[in-house]
Amino acid sequence: NLNTIMNIYNRLNKSKTGDSRLQTLMFSATLHSPDIRSLAEKICQFPTWVDLKGKDSVPETVRHLVVEVNPQDDTSWGGMSNYP
């Protein structure tokens, strides 16, 4: 639900810059819908669209990084329990 996404986004710290700035990733089966495009315009700076439909690779300009977080070991997210 878009309202829930915006509610969460509005609570995030967006004051950092450089490599510490907030980066938003969105994954959607309806990537080209007007709602998703409107959401991206509201919360992304310079969004990059990656559409893998029919493609075998990701553009070279996109870097991949996986951060595995165990919620039992990392409790820093605990203050987020108030989210709907």
Side-chain angles (χ1 to χ4, degrees):
N1 162 318
L2 295 176
N3 288 333
T4 301
I5 292 170
M6 288 307 298
N7 188 1
I8 293 169
Y9 176 77
N10 288 331
R11 295 181 189 195
L12 297 174
N13 181 353
K14 296 174 277 299
S15 66
K16 297 187 178 188
T17 60
D19 289 342
S20 298
R21 75 186 185 285
L22 175 67
Q23 295 185 35
T24 307
L25 303 171
M26 295 188 290
F27 303 88
S28 174
T30 57
L31 184 65
H32 300 291
S33 75
D35 287 341
I36 298 301
R37 288 203 175 267
S38 174
L39 177 64
E41 289 173 9
K42 289 178 186 173
I43 68 174
C44 296
Q45 294 179 352
F46 311 110
T48 298
W49 295 91
V50 177
D51 187 349
L52 299 179
K53 185 177 181 179
K55 302 272 185 179
D56 292 329
S57 64
V58 175
E60 290 181 23
T61 57
V62 176
R63 295 184 318 180
H64 292 86
L65 174 67
V66 176
V67 178
E68 192 170 327
V69 177
N70 181 332
Q72 293 176 337
D73 294 337
D74 179 358
T75 58
S76 63
W77 56 272
M80 299 168 78
S81 62
N82 294 331
Y83 287 112

